[in-house]
């Protein structure tokens, strides 16, 4: 079943229609959070991508099934060695557990709950399933057993199990990083010399050695899973061996998704496991990559503390296209907060105006949905909505209805009443006086009254139907 949603596919480097291979629902897998810390707003930009896609498909009555993993074991920290990113042997979860002197799983549950709370604050609809890595070890062991049997994996001299990159000749199709071109140490996990057979091989299962927490028994010794096998095992199990749409941030393209594809396709004896790979570009904050060391990590909590509606952040993200790197600033968030309030104000004011026109509503909504479906051209949607807001031809209730229908995709709660103050007696008198001045053709007075109203944050416009006013936000 081909849908009308067209998205850029990283592997084929072209825009394709999203399709449901089983003709029933679109199966989506979205790489989830590593729950050792709060999700920052960059992570949330990527999580919003899946929500946006789901809302667009649902708008067209296309059913979806979304799986998002919770990584609570096996995601190793990255270090820089001689300019290359290499994985250290420290699990992100355990490092945090050691720092705080509490069990790793206690930290995992704490940040998993916060992750769900953040999603709710941004109106990101929940996935259908959130499997936890620590609770799906059996699936990973079964997948690794299969890869050992098929000759795609082997036990290294350090007793860890590795995927043999050379056993998957199509390696590199997503990122362009073909095996022949990769140099040892280049963005590959660090392993003691000689433990693996080829520098581009990666660990599916790591032998515990000195590690005592989060360790599981297996036929090949006790240990813990690698990060990449988690997503293969979960997507193959919970999406029944086929993913229509796979999502994640651009940094996951390589090596995470490249390795996942090699694993999943090998488990399927060479069949393509994923039809469509979609990656969201990164979020920068005030020009720099968000990181603890740069001191520019922003959380949803920071918005709440400044009295900003978290949906202002959602609006900021939507104003930028998912495939462009985006630089967020506090000024942009504050401007978005003002805009959301203005739109909510309009929605309640427009209700009292002229009646709606169904034909025009359908036409406007259809063209806005087409923009969404055109590889998520959200900047165009906002351009159109801004023009629509000012449009003098459409009746107020037509505009209201278009905004509300599109809000099913935008998710900005535009119908939520904003605490708008009633217009004051002074404004009301000035408006009446200006109407009279226009009727008397006293344009000098009318202009003078317009300026007075502007000082009181009221903008007046003269239309075929007479004088109209708006608040200036
Ligand atoms: P993590 O919790 O670090 O495993 O990341 C969760 C998701 O957030 C992944 O899909 C990452 O690709 C994505 N991500 C990480 N940093 C950023 C960023 N600055 N902007 C957008 N997405 C990001
Ligand atoms: Zn993943």
């Amino acid at each position: 079943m081909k849908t009308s949603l067209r998205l850029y596919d990283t592997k084929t480097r072209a825009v394709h229609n999203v399709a449901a291979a089983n003709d029933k629902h679109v199966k989506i897998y979205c790489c989830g959070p590593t729950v050792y810390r709060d999700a920052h707003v960059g992570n949330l930009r990527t999580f919003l991508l899946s929500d946006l896609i789901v809302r667009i498909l649902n708008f067209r009555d296309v059913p979806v099934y979304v799986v998002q993993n919770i990584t609570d074991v096996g995601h190793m920290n990255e270090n820089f060695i001689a300019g290359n990113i290499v994985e250290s042997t420290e699990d992100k979860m355990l490092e945090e557990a050691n720092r705080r002197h509490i069990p790793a799983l206690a930290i995992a549950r704490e940040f998993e709950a916060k992750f769900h709370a953040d999603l709710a604050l941004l109106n990101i609809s929940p996935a259908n399933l959130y499997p936890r890595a620590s609770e799906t070890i059996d699936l990973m062991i079964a997948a690794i057993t299969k890869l050992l049997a098929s000759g795609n994996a082997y036990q290294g001299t350090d007793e860890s199990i590795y995927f043999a990159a050379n056993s998957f000749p199509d390696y590199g199709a997503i990122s362009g990083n073909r095996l022949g071109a990769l140099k040892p140490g280049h963005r590959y996990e660090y392993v003691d010399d000689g433990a693996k057979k080829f520098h581009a091989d990666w660990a599916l299962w790591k032998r515990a050695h000195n590690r005592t927490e989060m360790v599981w028994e297996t036929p090949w010794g006790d240990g813990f899973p690698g990060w990449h096998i988690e997503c293969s095992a979960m997507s193959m199990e919970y999406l029944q061996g086929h993913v229509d749409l796979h999502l994640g941030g651009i940094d996951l393209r390589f090596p995470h998704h490249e390795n996942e594809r090699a694993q999943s396709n090998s488990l399927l004896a060479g069949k393509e496991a994923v039809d469509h790979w979609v990656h969201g570009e990164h979020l920068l904050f005030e020009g720099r990559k968000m990181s603890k060391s740069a001191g520019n990590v922003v959380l949803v909590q920071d918005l709440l503390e400044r009295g900003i509606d978290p949906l202002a952040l959602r609006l900021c993200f939507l104003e930028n296209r998912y495939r462009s790197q985006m630089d967020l600033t506090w000024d942009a968030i504050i401007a978005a907060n003002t805009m959301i309030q203005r739109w909510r104000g309009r929605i309640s004011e427009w209700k009292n105006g002229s009646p709606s026109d169904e034909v025009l509503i359908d036409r406007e909504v259809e063209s806005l949905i087409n923009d969404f479906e055109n590889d998520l051209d959200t900047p165009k949607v906002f351009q159109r909505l801004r023009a629509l807001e000012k449009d003098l031809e459409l009746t107020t209730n037509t505009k209201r209805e278009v905004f509300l229908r599109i809000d099913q995709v935008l998710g900005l709660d535009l119908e939520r009443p904003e605490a708008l103050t009633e217009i004051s007696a002074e404004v009301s008198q000035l408006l009446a006086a200006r109407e009279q001045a226009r009727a008397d053709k006293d344009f000098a007075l009318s202009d003078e009254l317009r300026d007075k109203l502007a000082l009181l944050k009221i903008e007046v416009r003269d239309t075929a139907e007479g004088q109209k006013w708006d608040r200036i936000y």
Side-chain angles (χ1 to χ4, degrees), residues 179-240:
L179 287 176
L182 287 168
K183 304 253 180 321
H186 174 72
R187 288 192 65 116
Y188 272 104
E189 59 197 86
Y190 176 75
V191 187
D192 292 338
D193 273 352
K196 52 186 182 179
K197 293 179 183 165
F198 179 59
H199 62 83
D201 296 348
W202 62 92
L204 298 169
W205 188 265
K206 303 195 191 205
R207 195 63 212 276
H209 298 301
N210 301 330
R211 174 163 156 165
T212 52
E213 203 183 344
M214 293 210 292
V215 166
W216 290 266
E217 285 296 326
T218 71
W220 51 83
D222 59 351
F224 58 100
W227 175 40
H228 315 303
I229 193 65
E230 167 185 340
C231 289
S232 285
M234 289 185 185
S235 62
M236 292 299 96
E237 171 75 10
Y238 299 116
L239 295 174
Q240 300 79 40

Side-chain angles (χ1 to χ4, degrees), residues 31-37 40-47 71 75 92 227 247-252 280-284 289-290:
C31 288
T34 309
V35 281
Y36 67 107
R37 55 151 170 78
H40 57 58
V41 294
N43 303 129
L44 291 165
R45 183 186 189 202
T46 297
F47 302 145
T71 302
H75 196 168
K92 291 186 182 191
W227 175 40
L247 308 171
I250 194 76
D251 56 318
L252 303 190
E281 252 296 349
H282 262 188
L283 179 82
L284 305 181
K289 185 179 149 80
M290 220 179 294

